[in-house]
Amino acid sequence: MFILCVLLVVSLTILIYLTYIDSKNYRVLSKTITSILFLAIAVFSYLNHNCNFSYFLFIILGLVFSLFGDVFLAFNKDNGKMFILGLFSFCITHVFYYVAFNHLTDFSIVYFLISIAFGSVVVIGMKLMKFLDFGKLFKIIVLYTYIISFMLFKAISLYSYHAIWSNLIIVGAILFTISDMILSFVLFYKDCPKFMESLNLATYYIGQMIIALSIGYMF
């Protein structure tokens, strides 16, 4: 498991380097390999610990759709069809994550309302940031914002367990959410600094790796 995590970090480092030098062809390959590695971490985590199968199943399905999303976004040009397919794939990812987390704790109306409030604040913030040009994609992005908000606060609701697996889930979900916030600047802000794309990749892949690792600590 340690070796797989090291390989993911190495692959991520190469991906960030290829992003800086704008090597598109090798970047697609590197991104795919890095995504396959978080899938491998999830599978080996389950095989080594034989934990909660339902949790593993929904997390692995989420990671598979994340892989699809990564590939679609890798071929994205001018935020067209590939972007929409990528966004749809990640929507499915968050739904599977939500279902996985829902297997671990009861539904909470409080966290549900907080997630709606958080999503609304983010949407209002995006609307007020005139330098972010979402164009016709704004309504789709609003839907995605609420979906990821539900996933995020479902993860945060697990804090009361005070366990390694719950801490990993929360940290992973937060990093995933941060990566998407950064990605909105990368894709929709014309003068976005180059380092933001690297920061997006780092938070996303580390977050996914941590979520995959949570399988090995599940009861």
Short mmCIF file of all heavy atoms in Angstrom, two decimals, residues 5-72:
data_model
loop_
_atom_site.label_atom_id
_atom_site.label_comp_id
_atom_site.label_asym_id
_atom_site.label_seq_id
_atom_site.Cartn_x
_atom_site.Cartn_y
_atom_site.Cartn_z
N CYS A 5 1.03 4.39 -2.79
CA CYS A 5 0.90 5.81 -2.42
C CYS A 5 2.11 6.60 -2.92
O CYS A 5 1.96 7.73 -3.43
CB CYS A 5 0.75 5.96 -0.91
SG CYS A 5 -0.82 5.34 -0.26
N VAL A 6 3.29 6.03 -2.77
CA VAL A 6 4.50 6.69 -3.26
C VAL A 6 4.44 6.84 -4.78
O VAL A 6 4.77 7.90 -5.32
CB VAL A 6 5.77 5.90 -2.86
CG1 VAL A 6 7.00 6.46 -3.56
CG2 VAL A 6 5.95 5.94 -1.34
N LEU A 7 4.00 5.79 -5.46
CA LEU A 7 3.88 5.84 -6.91
C LEU A 7 2.89 6.92 -7.35
O LEU A 7 3.12 7.62 -8.34
CB LEU A 7 3.43 4.48 -7.45
CG LEU A 7 4.47 3.36 -7.45
CD1 LEU A 7 3.84 2.04 -7.89
CD2 LEU A 7 5.64 3.72 -8.37
N LEU A 8 1.79 7.05 -6.60
CA LEU A 8 0.81 8.10 -6.94
C LEU A 8 1.42 9.48 -6.79
O LEU A 8 1.24 10.35 -7.65
CB LEU A 8 -0.44 7.96 -6.07
CG LEU A 8 -1.61 8.89 -6.45
CD1 LEU A 8 -2.94 8.19 -6.20
CD2 LEU A 8 -1.56 10.20 -5.67
N VAL A 9 2.16 9.69 -5.70
CA VAL A 9 2.79 11.00 -5.47
C VAL A 9 3.82 11.29 -6.57
O VAL A 9 3.91 12.42 -7.07
CB VAL A 9 3.45 11.05 -4.08
CG1 VAL A 9 4.27 12.33 -3.92
CG2 VAL A 9 2.39 10.97 -2.99
N VAL A 10 4.60 10.27 -6.95
CA VAL A 10 5.59 10.44 -8.02
C VAL A 10 4.89 10.76 -9.34
O VAL A 10 5.29 11.68 -10.07
CB VAL A 10 6.45 9.16 -8.18
CG1 VAL A 10 7.31 9.26 -9.44
CG2 VAL A 10 7.32 8.96 -6.95
N SER A 11 3.83 10.00 -9.65
CA SER A 11 3.07 10.23 -10.88
C SER A 11 2.44 11.61 -10.87
O SER A 11 2.40 12.30 -11.91
CB SER A 11 2.00 9.15 -11.03
OG SER A 11 1.30 9.30 -12.24
N LEU A 12 1.93 12.04 -9.72
CA LEU A 12 1.33 13.37 -9.58
C LEU A 12 2.38 14.45 -9.82
O LEU A 12 2.11 15.47 -10.48
CB LEU A 12 0.72 13.52 -8.19
CG LEU A 12 0.21 14.91 -7.80
CD1 LEU A 12 -0.87 15.38 -8.76
CD2 LEU A 12 -0.32 14.88 -6.36
N THR A 13 3.58 14.25 -9.28
CA THR A 13 4.67 15.21 -9.47
C THR A 13 5.02 15.35 -10.95
O THR A 13 5.22 16.47 -11.46
CB THR A 13 5.92 14.78 -8.69
OG1 THR A 13 5.58 14.62 -7.30
CG2 THR A 13 7.03 15.79 -8.82
N ILE A 14 5.08 14.22 -11.65
CA ILE A 14 5.36 14.24 -13.09
C ILE A 14 4.23 14.96 -13.83
O ILE A 14 4.49 15.76 -14.75
CB ILE A 14 5.51 12.80 -13.63
CG1 ILE A 14 6.75 12.14 -13.03
CG2 ILE A 14 5.59 12.80 -15.16
CD1 ILE A 14 6.87 10.65 -13.33
N LEU A 15 2.99 14.70 -13.43
CA LEU A 15 1.84 15.35 -14.05
C LEU A 15 1.90 16.86 -13.88
O LEU A 15 1.63 17.62 -14.83
CB LEU A 15 0.54 14.80 -13.44
CG LEU A 15 -0.77 15.46 -13.86
CD1 LEU A 15 -0.95 15.39 -15.38
CD2 LEU A 15 -1.95 14.81 -13.14
N ILE A 16 2.25 17.31 -12.69
CA ILE A 16 2.36 18.75 -12.44
C ILE A 16 3.47 19.36 -13.29
O ILE A 16 3.31 20.45 -13.86
CB ILE A 16 2.61 19.01 -10.94
CG1 ILE A 16 1.35 18.65 -10.13
CG2 ILE A 16 3.01 20.46 -10.70
CD1 ILE A 16 1.53 18.72 -8.63
N TYR A 17 4.58 18.65 -13.41
CA TYR A 17 5.68 19.12 -14.25
C TYR A 17 5.25 19.24 -15.71
O TYR A 17 5.53 20.24 -16.37
CB TYR A 17 6.87 18.17 -14.13
CG TYR A 17 7.98 18.47 -15.13
CD1 TYR A 17 8.80 19.59 -14.98
CD2 TYR A 17 8.16 17.64 -16.23
CE1 TYR A 17 9.80 19.87 -15.90
CE2 TYR A 17 9.16 17.91 -17.17
CZ TYR A 17 9.97 19.03 -16.99
OH TYR A 17 10.95 19.31 -17.92
N LEU A 18 4.54 18.22 -16.21
CA LEU A 18 4.07 18.23 -17.60
C LEU A 18 3.05 19.35 -17.83
O LEU A 18 2.94 19.88 -18.93
CB LEU A 18 3.45 16.87 -17.96
CG LEU A 18 4.43 15.69 -18.00
CD1 LEU A 18 3.66 14.38 -18.20
CD2 LEU A 18 5.44 15.88 -19.14
N THR A 19 2.31 19.68 -16.78
CA THR A 19 1.35 20.78 -16.86
C THR A 19 2.08 22.11 -17.02
O THR A 19 1.67 22.97 -17.82
CB THR A 19 0.46 20.82 -15.60
OG1 THR A 19 -0.26 19.59 -15.49
CG2 THR A 19 -0.52 21.97 -15.67
N TYR A 20 3.19 22.27 -16.30
CA TYR A 20 3.97 23.50 -16.37
C TYR A 20 4.62 23.69 -17.74
O TYR A 20 4.70 24.81 -18.26
CB TYR A 20 5.04 23.52 -15.28
CG TYR A 20 4.62 24.30 -14.06
CD1 TYR A 20 4.17 23.64 -12.91
CD2 TYR A 20 4.64 25.68 -14.04
CE1 TYR A 20 3.76 24.34 -11.79
CE2 TYR A 20 4.24 26.40 -12.93
CZ TYR A 20 3.80 25.73 -11.81
OH TYR A 20 3.39 26.43 -10.70
N ILE A 21 5.10 22.59 -18.33
CA ILE A 21 5.77 22.72 -19.63
C ILE A 21 4.78 22.58 -20.79
O ILE A 21 5.17 22.61 -21.96
CB ILE A 21 6.90 21.68 -19.79
CG1 ILE A 21 6.34 20.24 -19.82
CG2 ILE A 21 7.93 21.85 -18.69
CD1 ILE A 21 7.39 19.20 -20.12
N ASP A 22 3.48 22.41 -20.45
CA ASP A 22 2.42 22.35 -21.45
C ASP A 22 2.60 21.22 -22.45
O ASP A 22 2.47 21.41 -23.66
CB ASP A 22 2.31 23.70 -22.18
CG ASP A 22 0.94 23.89 -22.82
OD1 ASP A 22 -0.02 23.26 -22.35
OD2 ASP A 22 0.85 24.64 -23.80
N SER A 23 2.91 20.03 -21.94
CA SER A 23 3.06 18.85 -22.78
C SER A 23 1.74 18.09 -22.77
O SER A 23 1.51 17.22 -21.93
CB SER A 23 4.20 17.96 -22.26
OG SER A 23 4.32 16.79 -23.03
N LYS A 24 0.85 18.40 -23.70
CA LYS A 24 -0.52 17.90 -23.67
C LYS A 24 -0.62 16.39 -23.85
O LYS A 24 -1.38 15.72 -23.15
CB LYS A 24 -1.36 18.61 -24.73
CG LYS A 24 -1.54 20.11 -24.45
CD LYS A 24 -2.43 20.77 -25.48
CE LYS A 24 -2.59 22.26 -25.16
NZ LYS A 24 -3.44 22.95 -26.16
N ASN A 25 0.11 15.82 -24.80
CA ASN A 25 -0.01 14.39 -25.07
C ASN A 25 0.45 13.55 -23.88
O ASN A 25 -0.27 12.63 -23.43
CB ASN A 25 0.80 14.02 -26.31
CG ASN A 25 0.20 14.62 -27.57
OD1 ASN A 25 -1.00 14.86 -27.64
ND2 ASN A 25 1.04 14.87 -28.57
N TYR A 26 1.63 13.83 -23.37
CA TYR A 26 2.14 13.09 -22.22
C TYR A 26 1.33 13.39 -20.96
O TYR A 26 1.23 12.55 -20.07
CB TYR A 26 3.62 13.40 -21.98
CG TYR A 26 4.53 12.79 -23.02
CD1 TYR A 26 5.21 13.58 -23.94
CD2 TYR A 26 4.70 11.41 -23.09
CE1 TYR A 26 6.03 13.02 -24.90
CE2 TYR A 26 5.53 10.83 -24.04
CZ TYR A 26 6.19 11.65 -24.95
OH TYR A 26 7.01 11.08 -25.90
N ARG A 27 0.73 14.58 -20.91
CA ARG A 27 -0.06 14.97 -19.76
C ARG A 27 -1.31 14.09 -19.64
O ARG A 27 -1.68 13.68 -18.54
CB ARG A 27 -0.46 16.44 -19.87
CG ARG A 27 -1.20 16.99 -18.65
CD ARG A 27 -1.51 18.47 -18.81
NE ARG A 27 -2.18 18.99 -17.64
CZ ARG A 27 -3.49 18.90 -17.43
NH1 ARG A 27 -4.27 18.30 -18.32
NH2 ARG A 27 -4.04 19.40 -16.33
N VAL A 28 -1.95 13.79 -20.76
CA VAL A 28 -3.13 12.93 -20.75
C VAL A 28 -2.76 11.54 -20.22
O VAL A 28 -3.46 10.97 -19.39
CB VAL A 28 -3.74 12.82 -22.16
CG1 VAL A 28 -4.85 11.77 -22.17
CG2 VAL A 28 -4.28 14.16 -22.61
N LEU A 29 -1.64 11.01 -20.69
CA LEU A 29 -1.18 9.70 -20.25
C LEU A 29 -0.85 9.71 -18.76
O LEU A 29 -1.25 8.82 -18.01
CB LEU A 29 0.06 9.29 -21.05
CG LEU A 29 0.72 7.96 -20.64
CD1 LEU A 29 -0.26 6.80 -20.81
CD2 LEU A 29 1.99 7.73 -21.46
N SER A 30 -0.14 10.74 -18.33
CA SER A 30 0.25 10.85 -16.92
C SER A 30 -0.97 10.99 -16.02
O SER A 30 -1.03 10.39 -14.94
CB SER A 30 1.18 12.06 -16.75
OG SER A 30 1.55 12.21 -15.40
N LYS A 31 -1.96 11.76 -16.47
CA LYS A 31 -3.17 11.95 -15.68
C LYS A 31 -3.95 10.65 -15.53
O LYS A 31 -4.46 10.33 -14.45
CB LYS A 31 -4.06 13.01 -16.34
CG LYS A 31 -5.17 13.54 -15.46
CD LYS A 31 -5.88 14.72 -16.10
CE LYS A 31 -6.86 15.35 -15.11
NZ LYS A 31 -7.60 16.48 -15.69
N THR A 32 -4.02 9.89 -16.62
CA THR A 32 -4.72 8.61 -16.59
C THR A 32 -4.04 7.63 -15.63
O THR A 32 -4.70 6.94 -14.84
CB THR A 32 -4.78 7.99 -18.00
OG1 THR A 32 -5.41 8.93 -18.90
CG2 THR A 32 -5.57 6.69 -17.98
N ILE A 33 -2.70 7.58 -15.70
CA ILE A 33 -1.95 6.68 -14.81
C ILE A 33 -2.16 7.06 -13.35
O ILE A 33 -2.37 6.19 -12.49
CB ILE A 33 -0.44 6.72 -15.16
CG1 ILE A 33 -0.21 6.09 -16.54
CG2 ILE A 33 0.39 6.00 -14.09
CD1 ILE A 33 1.21 6.24 -17.06
N THR A 34 -2.12 8.35 -13.06
CA THR A 34 -2.30 8.83 -11.68
C THR A 34 -3.69 8.46 -11.17
O THR A 34 -3.85 8.06 -10.00
CB THR A 34 -2.08 10.34 -11.59
OG1 THR A 34 -0.86 10.71 -12.25
CG2 THR A 34 -1.99 10.80 -10.14
N SER A 35 -4.69 8.57 -12.04
CA SER A 35 -6.06 8.22 -11.65
C SER A 35 -6.21 6.72 -11.43
O SER A 35 -6.91 6.28 -10.50
CB SER A 35 -7.05 8.69 -12.72
OG SER A 35 -7.01 10.09 -12.87
N ILE A 36 -5.56 5.92 -12.27
CA ILE A 36 -5.60 4.46 -12.10
C ILE A 36 -4.98 4.07 -10.76
O ILE A 36 -5.43 3.12 -10.10
CB ILE A 36 -4.87 3.77 -13.27
CG1 ILE A 36 -5.70 3.92 -14.55
CG2 ILE A 36 -4.64 2.29 -12.96
CD1 ILE A 36 -5.00 3.41 -15.79
N LEU A 37 -3.98 4.83 -10.33
CA LEU A 37 -3.31 4.51 -9.07
C LEU A 37 -4.22 4.69 -7.86
O LEU A 37 -4.15 3.91 -6.91
CB LEU A 37 -2.04 5.36 -8.92
CG LEU A 37 -0.84 4.87 -9.74
CD1 LEU A 37 0.26 5.92 -9.79
CD2 LEU A 37 -0.31 3.55 -9.17
N PHE A 38 -5.12 5.71 -7.87
CA PHE A 38 -6.00 5.81 -6.70
C PHE A 38 -7.05 4.69 -6.72
O PHE A 38 -7.54 4.28 -5.67
CB PHE A 38 -6.61 7.21 -6.50
CG PHE A 38 -7.49 7.77 -7.59
CD1 PHE A 38 -8.61 7.11 -8.06
CD2 PHE A 38 -7.22 9.05 -8.11
CE1 PHE A 38 -9.45 7.66 -9.02
CE2 PHE A 38 -8.04 9.62 -9.07
CZ PHE A 38 -9.16 8.92 -9.53
N LEU A 39 -7.37 4.18 -7.91
CA LEU A 39 -8.22 3.00 -7.98
C LEU A 39 -7.51 1.78 -7.40
O LEU A 39 -8.10 0.99 -6.65
CB LEU A 39 -8.60 2.72 -9.44
CG LEU A 39 -9.83 3.42 -10.00
CD1 LEU A 39 -9.93 3.19 -11.50
CD2 LEU A 39 -11.09 2.94 -9.31
N ALA A 40 -6.23 1.64 -7.74
CA ALA A 40 -5.43 0.51 -7.23
C ALA A 40 -5.32 0.57 -5.71
O ALA A 40 -5.40 -0.46 -5.03
CB ALA A 40 -4.05 0.52 -7.87
N ILE A 41 -5.15 1.76 -5.17
CA ILE A 41 -5.05 1.93 -3.72
C ILE A 41 -6.35 1.48 -3.05
O ILE A 41 -6.33 0.80 -2.01
CB ILE A 41 -4.73 3.40 -3.36
CG1 ILE A 41 -3.30 3.74 -3.77
CG2 ILE A 41 -4.94 3.65 -1.86
CD1 ILE A 41 -2.96 5.21 -3.67
N ALA A 42 -7.48 1.83 -3.64
CA ALA A 42 -8.77 1.43 -3.08
C ALA A 42 -8.93 -0.09 -3.09
O ALA A 42 -9.35 -0.69 -2.10
CB ALA A 42 -9.90 2.08 -3.88
N VAL A 43 -8.59 -0.71 -4.21
CA VAL A 43 -8.73 -2.17 -4.33
C VAL A 43 -7.83 -2.89 -3.35
O VAL A 43 -8.27 -3.82 -2.64
CB VAL A 43 -8.42 -2.62 -5.78
CG1 VAL A 43 -8.36 -4.15 -5.86
CG2 VAL A 43 -9.47 -2.08 -6.74
N PHE A 44 -6.57 -2.48 -3.26
CA PHE A 44 -5.64 -3.14 -2.36
C PHE A 44 -5.99 -2.87 -0.89
O PHE A 44 -5.75 -3.73 -0.03
CB PHE A 44 -4.20 -2.71 -2.66
CG PHE A 44 -3.57 -3.50 -3.77
CD1 PHE A 44 -3.67 -3.06 -5.09
CD2 PHE A 44 -2.89 -4.68 -3.53
CE1 PHE A 44 -3.11 -3.79 -6.13
CE2 PHE A 44 -2.33 -5.42 -4.55
CZ PHE A 44 -2.44 -4.99 -5.87
N SER A 45 -6.55 -1.72 -0.62
CA SER A 45 -6.99 -1.42 0.75
C SER A 45 -8.07 -2.40 1.17
O SER A 45 -8.08 -2.91 2.30
CB SER A 45 -7.54 0.01 0.84
OG SER A 45 -6.51 0.96 0.69
N TYR A 46 -8.98 -2.70 0.26
CA TYR A 46 -10.06 -3.64 0.58
C TYR A 46 -9.53 -5.07 0.69
O TYR A 46 -9.88 -5.79 1.63
CB TYR A 46 -11.14 -3.59 -0.50
CG TYR A 46 -12.24 -4.60 -0.25
CD1 TYR A 46 -13.17 -4.39 0.77
CD2 TYR A 46 -12.32 -5.76 -1.01
CE1 TYR A 46 -14.16 -5.33 1.02
CE2 TYR A 46 -13.31 -6.70 -0.76
CZ TYR A 46 -14.23 -6.47 0.25
OH TYR A 46 -15.20 -7.41 0.51
N LEU A 47 -8.68 -5.47 -0.25
CA LEU A 47 -8.16 -6.83 -0.24
C LEU A 47 -7.31 -7.12 1.00
O LEU A 47 -7.32 -8.24 1.52
CB LEU A 47 -7.34 -7.09 -1.51
CG LEU A 47 -8.13 -7.10 -2.82
CD1 LEU A 47 -7.17 -7.29 -3.99
CD2 LEU A 47 -9.19 -8.20 -2.81
N ASN A 48 -6.60 -6.11 1.46
CA ASN A 48 -5.72 -6.29 2.62
C ASN A 48 -6.48 -6.31 3.94
O ASN A 48 -5.99 -6.87 4.93
CB ASN A 48 -4.66 -5.19 2.66
CG ASN A 48 -3.61 -5.38 1.58
OD1 ASN A 48 -3.44 -6.47 1.05
ND2 ASN A 48 -2.91 -4.31 1.23
N HIS A 49 -7.66 -5.70 3.97
CA HIS A 49 -8.37 -5.58 5.25
C HIS A 49 -9.76 -6.21 5.22
O HIS A 49 -10.37 -6.38 6.26
CB HIS A 49 -8.49 -4.10 5.64
CG HIS A 49 -7.17 -3.44 5.85
ND1 HIS A 49 -6.47 -3.52 7.03
CD2 HIS A 49 -6.40 -2.70 5.01
CE1 HIS A 49 -5.32 -2.85 6.91
NE2 HIS A 49 -5.26 -2.35 5.70
N ASN A 50 -10.27 -6.51 4.02
CA ASN A 50 -11.58 -7.16 3.88
C ASN A 50 -12.64 -6.45 4.74
O ASN A 50 -13.32 -7.08 5.56
CB ASN A 50 -11.48 -8.64 4.27
CG ASN A 50 -12.70 -9.43 3.80
OD1 ASN A 50 -13.33 -9.05 2.82
ND2 ASN A 50 -13.00 -10.50 4.49
N CYS A 51 -12.78 -5.16 4.52
CA CYS A 51 -13.64 -4.33 5.36
C CYS A 51 -15.08 -4.30 4.82
O CYS A 51 -15.49 -5.15 4.03
CB CYS A 51 -13.07 -2.93 5.43
SG CYS A 51 -13.01 -2.14 3.81
N ASN A 52 -15.83 -3.31 5.24
CA ASN A 52 -17.22 -3.07 4.85
C ASN A 52 -17.35 -3.08 3.32
O ASN A 52 -16.91 -2.17 2.64
CB ASN A 52 -17.67 -1.73 5.43
CG ASN A 52 -19.13 -1.47 5.20
OD1 ASN A 52 -19.66 -1.67 4.12
ND2 ASN A 52 -19.78 -0.98 6.24
N PHE A 53 -18.01 -4.13 2.77
CA PHE A 53 -18.08 -4.26 1.31
C PHE A 53 -18.94 -3.18 0.67
O PHE A 53 -18.61 -2.69 -0.41
CB PHE A 53 -18.62 -5.64 0.92
CG PHE A 53 -18.75 -5.82 -0.56
CD1 PHE A 53 -17.62 -6.00 -1.36
CD2 PHE A 53 -20.00 -5.78 -1.18
CE1 PHE A 53 -17.73 -6.15 -2.74
CE2 PHE A 53 -20.12 -5.92 -2.55
CZ PHE A 53 -18.98 -6.11 -3.33
N SER A 54 -20.05 -2.83 1.31
CA SER A 54 -20.94 -1.81 0.74
C SER A 54 -20.20 -0.48 0.59
O SER A 54 -20.30 0.19 -0.45
CB SER A 54 -22.17 -1.62 1.63
OG SER A 54 -22.95 -2.79 1.64
N TYR A 55 -19.45 -0.12 1.63
CA TYR A 55 -18.67 1.11 1.57
C TYR A 55 -17.64 1.03 0.44
O TYR A 55 -17.52 1.96 -0.38
CB TYR A 55 -17.96 1.36 2.90
CG TYR A 55 -17.10 2.60 2.90
CD1 TYR A 55 -17.67 3.85 3.01
CD2 TYR A 55 -15.71 2.51 2.79
CE1 TYR A 55 -16.89 5.00 2.99
CE2 TYR A 55 -14.92 3.64 2.78
CZ TYR A 55 -15.51 4.89 2.88
OH TYR A 55 -14.74 6.02 2.85
N PHE A 56 -16.92 -0.07 0.36
CA PHE A 56 -15.92 -0.26 -0.69
C PHE A 56 -16.56 -0.16 -2.07
O PHE A 56 -16.02 0.49 -2.97
CB PHE A 56 -15.24 -1.61 -0.53
CG PHE A 56 -14.49 -2.07 -1.76
CD1 PHE A 56 -13.31 -1.45 -2.14
CD2 PHE A 56 -15.00 -3.10 -2.54
CE1 PHE A 56 -12.63 -1.85 -3.28
CE2 PHE A 56 -14.32 -3.51 -3.68
CZ PHE A 56 -13.13 -2.88 -4.06
N LEU A 57 -17.70 -0.81 -2.26
CA LEU A 57 -18.36 -0.85 -3.57
C LEU A 57 -18.70 0.55 -4.05
O LEU A 57 -18.40 0.91 -5.21
CB LEU A 57 -19.63 -1.70 -3.49
CG LEU A 57 -20.47 -1.77 -4.77
CD1 LEU A 57 -19.68 -2.40 -5.90
CD2 LEU A 57 -21.77 -2.52 -4.51
N PHE A 58 -19.32 1.35 -3.20
CA PHE A 58 -19.74 2.69 -3.63
C PHE A 58 -18.55 3.63 -3.81
O PHE A 58 -18.57 4.49 -4.70
CB PHE A 58 -20.77 3.27 -2.65
CG PHE A 58 -22.10 2.61 -2.74
CD1 PHE A 58 -22.60 1.84 -1.69
CD2 PHE A 58 -22.86 2.71 -3.89
CE1 PHE A 58 -23.83 1.21 -1.78
CE2 PHE A 58 -24.10 2.09 -4.00
CZ PHE A 58 -24.59 1.33 -2.94
N ILE A 59 -17.52 3.46 -2.99
CA ILE A 59 -16.33 4.29 -3.15
C ILE A 59 -15.61 3.93 -4.45
O ILE A 59 -15.19 4.82 -5.21
CB ILE A 59 -15.37 4.13 -1.95
CG1 ILE A 59 -15.97 4.76 -0.70
CG2 ILE A 59 -14.02 4.79 -2.26
CD1 ILE A 59 -16.21 6.25 -0.77
N ILE A 60 -15.49 2.64 -4.75
CA ILE A 60 -14.80 2.23 -5.97
C ILE A 60 -15.58 2.68 -7.20
O ILE A 60 -14.98 3.09 -8.22
CB ILE A 60 -14.54 0.70 -5.99
CG1 ILE A 60 -13.41 0.36 -6.98
CG2 ILE A 60 -15.78 -0.07 -6.36
CD1 ILE A 60 -12.05 0.78 -6.55
N LEU A 61 -16.90 2.65 -7.14
CA LEU A 61 -17.72 3.15 -8.25
C LEU A 61 -17.50 4.65 -8.43
O LEU A 61 -17.39 5.15 -9.56
CB LEU A 61 -19.20 2.85 -8.01
CG LEU A 61 -19.62 1.38 -8.18
CD1 LEU A 61 -21.07 1.19 -7.71
CD2 LEU A 61 -19.48 0.95 -9.63
N GLY A 62 -17.43 5.36 -7.31
CA GLY A 62 -17.15 6.80 -7.38
C GLY A 62 -15.79 7.08 -7.99
O GLY A 62 -15.63 7.99 -8.81
N LEU A 63 -14.80 6.29 -7.62
CA LEU A 63 -13.45 6.48 -8.15
C LEU A 63 -13.38 6.15 -9.64
O LEU A 63 -12.66 6.80 -10.40
CB LEU A 63 -12.46 5.60 -7.38
CG LEU A 63 -12.18 6.01 -5.93
CD1 LEU A 63 -11.35 4.95 -5.22
CD2 LEU A 63 -11.47 7.36 -5.88
N VAL A 64 -14.16 5.16 -10.08
CA VAL A 64 -14.20 4.81 -11.50
C VAL A 64 -14.76 5.97 -12.31
O VAL A 64 -14.20 6.34 -13.36
CB VAL A 64 -15.06 3.54 -11.73
CG1 VAL A 64 -15.36 3.35 -13.23
CG2 VAL A 64 -14.34 2.32 -11.19
N PHE A 65 -15.84 6.57 -11.83
CA PHE A 65 -16.41 7.72 -12.55
C PHE A 65 -15.50 8.94 -12.45
O PHE A 65 -15.50 9.79 -13.35
CB PHE A 65 -17.82 8.03 -12.04
CG PHE A 65 -18.88 7.19 -12.68
CD1 PHE A 65 -19.30 6.00 -12.10
CD2 PHE A 65 -19.42 7.56 -13.91
CE1 PHE A 65 -20.26 5.20 -12.72
CE2 PHE A 65 -20.39 6.77 -14.53
CZ PHE A 65 -20.80 5.58 -13.94
N SER A 66 -14.72 9.02 -11.39
CA SER A 66 -13.70 10.09 -11.31
C SER A 66 -12.66 9.90 -12.41
O SER A 66 -12.21 10.87 -13.03
CB SER A 66 -13.02 10.06 -9.94
OG SER A 66 -13.88 10.51 -8.93
N LEU A 67 -12.27 8.65 -12.64
CA LEU A 67 -11.33 8.34 -13.70
C LEU A 67 -11.89 8.78 -15.06
O LEU A 67 -11.18 9.40 -15.86
CB LEU A 67 -11.01 6.85 -13.72
CG LEU A 67 -10.19 6.31 -14.90
CD1 LEU A 67 -8.83 6.98 -14.95
CD2 LEU A 67 -10.04 4.80 -14.81
N PHE A 68 -13.16 8.46 -15.29
CA PHE A 68 -13.81 8.90 -16.53
C PHE A 68 -13.78 10.43 -16.63
O PHE A 68 -13.47 10.99 -17.68
CB PHE A 68 -15.26 8.42 -16.59
CG PHE A 68 -15.42 6.94 -16.72
CD1 PHE A 68 -16.57 6.31 -16.29
CD2 PHE A 68 -14.41 6.16 -17.27
CE1 PHE A 68 -16.73 4.94 -16.41
CE2 PHE A 68 -14.54 4.78 -17.39
CZ PHE A 68 -15.71 4.17 -16.96
N GLY A 69 -14.12 11.09 -15.52
CA GLY A 69 -14.12 12.55 -15.50
C GLY A 69 -12.76 13.13 -15.79
O GLY A 69 -12.62 14.12 -16.51
N ASP A 70 -11.72 12.51 -15.22
CA ASP A 70 -10.35 12.97 -15.46
C ASP A 70 -9.98 12.89 -16.94
O ASP A 70 -9.37 13.80 -17.49
CB ASP A 70 -9.36 12.13 -14.64
CG ASP A 70 -9.49 12.37 -13.15
OD1 ASP A 70 -9.95 13.46 -12.78
OD2 ASP A 70 -9.16 11.46 -12.37
N VAL A 71 -10.37 11.78 -17.57
CA VAL A 71 -10.06 11.58 -18.99
C VAL A 71 -10.82 12.61 -19.85
O VAL A 71 -10.24 13.22 -20.75
CB VAL A 71 -10.42 10.15 -19.44
CG1 VAL A 71 -10.26 9.99 -20.96
CG2 VAL A 71 -9.54 9.14 -18.72
N PHE A 72 -12.10 12.80 -19.54
CA PHE A 72 -12.89 13.78 -20.30
C PHE A 72 -12.30 15.18 -20.18
O PHE A 72 -12.17 15.91 -21.18
CB PHE A 72 -14.34 13.79 -19.82
CG PHE A 72 -15.13 12.56 -20.20
CD1 PHE A 72 -15.95 11.93 -19.28
CD2 PHE A 72 -15.03 12.03 -21.47
CE1 PHE A 72 -16.68 10.81 -19.63
CE2 PHE A 72 -15.75 10.88 -21.84
CZ PHE A 72 -16.58 10.28 -20.91
#
